[in-house]
Amino acid sequence: MARATPARSGDRLAGVAAADSQERVAAQLALAELPLAHFLNESVVPYENDEVTRLIVDTHDAAAFAPVAHLTVGDFRDWLLGDAADTAALRALAPGLTPEMVAAVSKLCRLQDLALIASKCRVVTRFRDTIGLPGRLSTRLQPNHPTDDLAGIAASLIDGLLMGSGDAVIGINPVTDNVPQVMRLLGMLDEVIGHYGIPTQSCVLTHVTNTLQAIERGAPVDLVFQSIAGTEAANRSFGIDLALLAEARAAALSLQRGALFEDGQRGQHVMYFETGQGSALSANANHGCDQQTIEARAYAVARHFQPLLVNTVVGFIGPEYLYDGKQILRAGLEDHFCGKLLGLPMGCDVCYTNHAEADSDDMDALLTLLCTAGVNFIMGVPGADDIMLNYQSTSFHDALAMRQLLGLKPALEFETWLLRMGISEAGGALRLAPALAAAFVPAIRRLEGS
C-alpha cells in the first residue's frame, strides 16, 4: 500500500515511500492483483490494539459488499469507471467498502479517474438546509478574526452573505479557546442567523469537550466540531475517542435545533469533522502506514457518526507532509474520492501554508477539478487569506466563479433566502447594492455595543 502511493513528502518522512518510480509501479501492479476481500482478513493496524480498526471490521456490511466481493483492486477500478457503477449502485455499495479498499483503488487512479468516479457519488445531508444535491455547491463562511472581535467577525460574515456564501455552515475558529468565549461566539452567530432567518447552521470549531460544556450551560449549539484521525492513538492525541464523539452527538441531537423539512423529518446531521493527511504521522501514531491510507481510515470514524459535513483541510498541515502544489492537488482529489465512496458528505479546504511550494494557480486547478468531481462544499474566506490562522484558502469570489463556470447553485433553501433578501436575482446574479449592505448595519452596531 505504502510503496504504491504516488510520491509525497510525508511518506518519505515516515520512511515508507517507494525508492523510485520503478518501485512504485511494481507495487501498484502487485496491488492491482490483490483481491478486495483480502482487506477483510488482514488489517493495516491490528484489531486488538485499535478501536478504529474494530469499528471498521465490526460494522462492515457483507451484503452490501457482495456485488464486488469477487474483484481484485484493479478490477474494482475498472468497474468503478464503468456504466454499472452509477449513483444508485455506489450509494448501495458504500456500507460494504472499507477505508483500506478505497485507499487501495485510489492509488491506481489517474486524476481524471478520481474526479469521474467521485462525480457519480451523491451524499445529501440536512440540518437547516440541504447540502449535496446535484447541481449545487455550498460554502463554509469562515469569518475568523485575530482577536475574536465580534464586530470584525460580523463584518466578514456580512461580506460573505452578500456574496452568496455560508450555506454549508458559518464556522469560526476561535483564537481564545475556552468555554465562555465559545459561548459568546455561538450567541453572536445565533443572533445573526435568527434575526435574518438564514437557513444555515453555525459552528465554533473548538474541542468537543468545550462544546459539551457549552451545551450543558445552555449555549445555542447547532453543530459539534472535532478534528479526527484514522488511528486510536492519533485520536487520543486529539484528546478524543469514539465514546466521547458518541456522547457529543447525542447531546447535540437532544437540542433538536435542526429545521423541520417538508417531508416531516427534522434535520439530524449534527457533526462537523475535519481531517488531513499527515496528522497521524505528526502524532507518531501512523503504525508504519502511508498517510493517505490512514487518512481514509478517519472517514470510517466520520461515517459512524452521520455528519452534516466532512472537510479535508488538505494543504494546511504543511510541506513536511504535502510538499508542493502537485502533491496537494493529488491528495485533495484522493480524499474527496475516498470519502465519497464511503458515503460521506465531503468538502475540501483548498489551501496551502505560506512555506509550501504552492500558489493560487495550484489551488485554482484543484478547486476546479473538485467542483467538476461534485465536492459538496468549499471554504469562503475574505480575500482567500485567513488573517487568524495565517494560511491561504479560497475566497467568496472563488465560489462565485465555480458556480458561474459550472452552472452550480447554492443549497436550495439558501438560494431561496438570497432571492427573498434581494441579494441575488432569478438566475443567480448578485445584486451588490449599498442598500443591501446597509440592511445589515444594525446587527453590526448591536454587536459593537455588546
Side-chain angles (χ1 to χ4, degrees), residues 73-101:
V73 175
D75 293 334
F76 185 41
R77 172 187 172 273
D78 294 341
W79 182 84
L80 288 170
L81 289 168
D83 293 337
D86 58 16
T87 299
L90 292 173
R91 182 181 300 115
L93 178 63
L97 297 177
T98 69
E100 291 84 356
M101 292 176 190

Side-chain angles (χ1 to χ4, degrees), residues 56-375:
I56 292 167
V57 173
D58 296 347
T59 61
H60 179 254
D61 188 330
F65 179 60
V68 298
H70 62 291
L71 299 178
T72 66
V73 175
D75 293 334
F76 185 41
R77 172 187 172 273
D78 294 341
W79 182 84
L80 288 170
L81 289 168
D83 293 337
D86 58 16
T87 299
L90 292 173
R91 182 181 300 115
L93 178 63
L97 297 177
T98 69
E100 291 84 356
M101 292 176 190
V102 298
V105 75
S106 76
K107 299 175 192 300
L108 307 183
C109 289
R110 297 170 56 186
L111 296 183
Q112 65 176 252
D113 299 338
L114 296 172
L116 176 59
I117 294 166
S119 72
K120 298 191 285 185
C121 301
R122 283 291 160 193
V123 182
V124 178
T125 55
R126 299 192 299 185
F127 188 75
R128 288 203 189 95
D129 57 355
T130 307
I131 310 299
L133 291 172
R136 307 275 170 179
L137 173 64
S138 296
T139 60
R140 169 190 161 188
L141 205 172
Q142 186 170 306
N144 294 340
H145 192 276
T147 64
D148 285 342
D149 178 71
L150 291 187
I153 290 171
S156 293
L157 192 161
I158 291 165
D159 186 25
L161 291 173
L162 290 173
M163 285 190 269
S165 185
D167 51 334
V169 64
I170 301 171
I172 300 173
N173 299 88
V175 177
T176 307
D177 194 10
N178 58 50
V179 176
Q181 180 69 342
V182 167
M183 294 181 67
R184 179 170 171 258
L185 294 172
L186 285 169
M188 182 272 281
L189 292 177
D190 186 59
E191 178 182 347
V192 173
I193 289 172
H195 183 79
Y196 295 105
I198 308 171
T200 190
Q201 35 284 327
S202 69
C203 186
V204 174
L205 282 69
T206 186
H207 193 270
V208 64
T209 54
N210 286 342
T211 304
L212 275 168
Q213 291 183 58
I215 291 173
E216 292 170 358
R217 299 183 191 183
V221 172
D222 291 342
L223 304 183
V224 175
F225 166 80
Q226 184 55 48
S227 294
I228 57 173
T231 69
E232 179 180 344
N235 283 325
R236 195 182 304 122
S237 76
F238 290 150
I240 63 167
D241 57 21
L242 300 182
L244 181 60
L245 294 178
E247 179 186 355
R249 180 173 181 267
L253 285 171
S254 72
L255 300 179
Q256 292 290 293
R257 289 177 58 83
L260 193 63
F261 289 85
E262 291 182 357
D263 61 4
Q265 299 297 310
R266 187 174 298 279
Q268 296 287 298
H269 297 108
V270 296
M271 304 299 285
Y272 174 24
F273 294 120
E274 287 192 345
T275 68
Q277 290 193 25
S279 58
L281 176 58
S282 69
N284 196 29
N286 64 315
H287 293 268
C289 299
D290 68 275
Q291 65 186 36
Q292 192 252 331
T293 298
I294 295 297
E295 169 72 4
R297 285 168 52 93
Y299 304 152
V301 176
R303 179 169 64 177
H304 186 65
F305 296 104
Q306 302 174 28
L308 181 77
L309 308 164
V310 179
N311 179 31
T312 167
V313 193
V314 65
F316 184 74
I317 200 166
E320 299 85 356
Y321 305 95
L322 296 169
Y323 179 71
D324 57 16
K326 182 179 178 67
Q327 292 187 12
I328 292 170
L329 187 149
R330 171 84 196 186
L333 288 169
E334 287 172 347
D335 293 351
H336 178 248
F337 167 94
C338 290
K340 281 293 185 66
L341 278 181
L342 291 169
L344 285 176
M346 291 300 296
C348 183
D349 191 342
V350 180
C351 64
Y352 63 101
T353 55
N354 291 317
H355 61 311
E357 293 296 320
D359 59 27
S360 58
D361 286 341
D362 296 315
M363 298 305 103
D364 283 349
L366 174 55
L367 174 63
T368 305
L369 280 167
L370 282 169
C371 290
T372 62
V375 71

